[in-house]
């Protein structure tokens, strides 16, 4: 039977005003103490909205990290050195990426000048006719005296500096340089060059750290977000740039983060650290309101596409021994959760386990954002029939309500993960959450300690999966392993690049 998870008790949120919007102060961990802001500046780690060149048409940029290199395999600190090449595994990863992007349209490819990146770009670009543009600023982070050392050598030789690199990278200093700060400045310079190109679908092949910086600077995140936006070997991330009416810097949205051929829910290392705690955000399958007039949002069951998506999700999660499954009470979320449970319980006959698995399943009222969206949608449609994103319809009052409600949900999820950690400290803990895409976007924003303005910086599709790792446990920072992963949907997965028949939107 489905039960209800009550919200955690907490203090009333404090509010402040910036750009004429009421913003709550919140925490992203159950262990943090809520404090009112001391001034009106952005909280540490956030930047003002990035100012990029005006663009005339929508542009999509696909970032790919190079395949495994010899120094990756050896555990050496690479930085911007150019002494490593792709391993056989790295070549295979690049070929898999080529297959993933085989049917996608690109107008131009930018690549780092380093061998491991250029080779990956050559494999992916394959027989496309246009030239590949080598951009020096796309090289990996400059790590100076660290480069070439094995990790244990770096620890032995540099001591406190190496510990700072591991624990406080944004303030890490070596040879008179602040590498992460320099990288963020270089990434902003790269965006000016990439956006100046007339191509509408752009492929960028580079490295782990520089791709993190490109994603972060695009949506206005500072150096505190280094190692928070994961980039695996040949992981693929997508950013959309849309012109604004009246000109100026474009609207920017992270459409996908770190989509790899591997399963996104495997407990691999997270930024070089082992993790055994995850929150897996599952967007429910498609309903009629996702495709048509949005008139009865949240009340209708899954349509045929949604049923297929729910089965594909359940299949992806079959090898995951989940600790708990939590869903919104709405029909589409509950039906998606039921599909997941049914496949988990059939694990023995499906060959995934020797015994059936009975998953603890709960409904959480705080995940039910549809009523807020519905009210805002009815009001906004009277004056604006064109709908861009879920949060564009929300007035200040609705946004505050959704933000406060989603914060309670986030704290409850962290508490659930913490309880699981206490009961099974050595085992893998996975809390699976099924809800509307808007609810998950808000949860991701809370995890990253963002304010409501950033909700428009993320895009999620129905049937997608996003994964948050906790390498330091539920009380530590969440690391976004992937966002809007859709490869499991097979022929119904979301295309990476734009449709050739649609000149206005992606």
């Amino acid at each position: 039977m489905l039960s209800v998870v009550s919200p955690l008790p907490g203090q009333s949120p404090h509010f402040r005003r910036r750009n004429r919007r009421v913003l709550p102060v919140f925490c992203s961990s159950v262990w943090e103490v809520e404090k009112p802001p001391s001034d009106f500046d952005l909280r540490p780690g956030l930047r003002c909205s990035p100012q990029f060149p005006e663009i005339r048409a929508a542009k999509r940029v696909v970032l790919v990290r190079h395949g495994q290199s010899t120094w990756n395999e050896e555990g050496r600190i690479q930085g911007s050195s150019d002494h490593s090449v792709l391993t056989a595994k790295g070549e295979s990863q690049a070929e898999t990426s080529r297959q993933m992007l085989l049917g996608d349209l690109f107008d131009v490819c930018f690549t780092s000048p380093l061998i491991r990146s250029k080779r990956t770009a050559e494999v992916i670009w394959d027989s496309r006719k246009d030239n590949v543009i080598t951009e020096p600023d796309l090289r990996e982070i400059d790590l100076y005296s660290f480069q070439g050392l094995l990790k244990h050598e770096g620890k032995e030789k540099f001591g406190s500096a190496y510990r700072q690199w591991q624990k406080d990278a944004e303030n890490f200093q070596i040879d008179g340089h602040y590498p992460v700060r320099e990288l963020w400045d270089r990434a902003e310079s790269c965006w000016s060059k990439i956006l100046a190109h007339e191509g509408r679908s752009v492929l960028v092949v580079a490295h782990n750290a520089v791709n993190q910086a490109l994603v972060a600077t695009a949506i206005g995140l500072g150096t505190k977000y280094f190692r928070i936006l994961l980039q695996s070997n040949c992981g693929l991330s997508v950013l959309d740039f849309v012109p604004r009416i009246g000109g100026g810097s474009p609207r920017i949205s992270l459409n996908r983060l770190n989509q790899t051929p591997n399963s996104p829910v495997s407990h691999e290392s997270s930024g070089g650290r082992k993790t055994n705690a995850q929150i897996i955000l599952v967007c429910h399958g498609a309903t009629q309101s996702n495709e048509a007039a949005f008139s009865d949002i949240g009340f209708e069951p899954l349509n045929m596409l949604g049923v297929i998506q729910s089965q594909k999700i359940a299949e992806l999660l079959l090898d995951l021994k989940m600790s708990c499954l939590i869903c919104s009470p709405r029909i589409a979320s509950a039906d998606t959760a039921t599909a997941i449970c049914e496949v988990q319980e059939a694990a023995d006959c499906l060959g995934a386990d020797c015994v059936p698995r009975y998953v603890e399943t709960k409904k959480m009222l705080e995940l039910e954002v549809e009523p807020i969206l519905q009210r805002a949608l009815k009001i906004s449609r009277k004056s604006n029939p064109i709908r861009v994103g879920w949060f564009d319809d929300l007035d200040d009052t609705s946004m505050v309500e959704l933000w406060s409600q989603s914060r309670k949900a986030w704290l409850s999820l962290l508490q659930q993960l913490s309880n699981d950690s206490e009961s099974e400290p050595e085992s893998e803990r996975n809390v699976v959450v099924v809800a509307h895409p808007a609810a998950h976007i808000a949860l991701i924003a809370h995890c990253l300690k963002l304010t409501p303005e950033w909700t428009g910086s993320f895009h999620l599709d129905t049937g997608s999966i996003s994964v948050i790792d906790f390498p330091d446990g539920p009380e530590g920072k969440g690391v976004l392993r992937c966002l809007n992963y859709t490869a499991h949907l097979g022929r119904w997965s979301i295309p990476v690049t734009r449709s050739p028949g649609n000149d206005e939107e992606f």
Side-chain angles (χ1 to χ4, degrees), residues 171-317:
N171 295 313
F172 165 64
Q173 184 178 11
I174 187 170
D175 299 337
H177 295 270
Y178 290 91
V180 176
R181 298 179 190 179
E182 292 176 352
L183 178 65
W184 250 244
D185 291 339
R186 181 150 48 87
E188 290 184 347
S189 173
C190 285
W191 278 125
S192 296
K193 299 169 186 177
I194 293 169
L195 295 178
H197 193 279
E198 62 183 11
R200 291 191 58 198
S201 290
V202 181
L203 176 65
V204 176
V205 183
H207 307 266
N208 178 13
V210 71
N211 280 7
Q212 289 184 53
L214 286 169
V215 172
T217 54
I219 59 178
L221 304 182
T223 51
K224 282 185 179 293
Y225 289 85
F226 183 60
R227 297 200 183 104
I228 299 298
L229 307 169
L230 208 62
Q231 298 288 305
S232 304
N233 285 120
C234 279
L236 179 153
S237 301
V238 180
L239 287 144
D240 286 335
F241 298 78
V242 179
R244 291 184 186 272
I245 298 174
S249 185
R251 288 183 52 154
I252 305 169
S253 174
L254 180 59
N255 181 280
R256 204 164 310 186
L257 178 77
N258 200 37
Q259 179 161 304
T260 68
N262 302 324
S263 170
V265 297
S266 60
H267 277 273
E268 300 173 350
S269 64
S270 186
R273 296 179 293 164
K274 178 176 173 55
T275 183
N276 60 358
Q278 291 180 331
I279 291 179
I280 300 165
L281 305 177
V282 176
C283 291
H284 66 62
T287 65
Q288 190 61 37
S289 69
N290 295 133
E291 301 175 354
F294 309 94
S295 56
D296 296 309
I297 177 173
F299 289 101
E300 64 285 270
L302 301 175
N303 62 17
M304 181 56 69
L305 175 59
V307 171
I308 294 172
Q309 289 174 332
S310 68
Q311 293 298 323
K312 293 288 185 180
I313 293 166
E315 181 181 352
L316 176 68
L317 299 179

Side-chain angles (χ1 to χ4, degrees), residues 57-58 200 498-506:
R200 291 191 58 198
R498 70 180 189 272
S499 167
N502 192 335
D503 293 330
E504 298 301 324
E505 298 178 357
F506 293 108

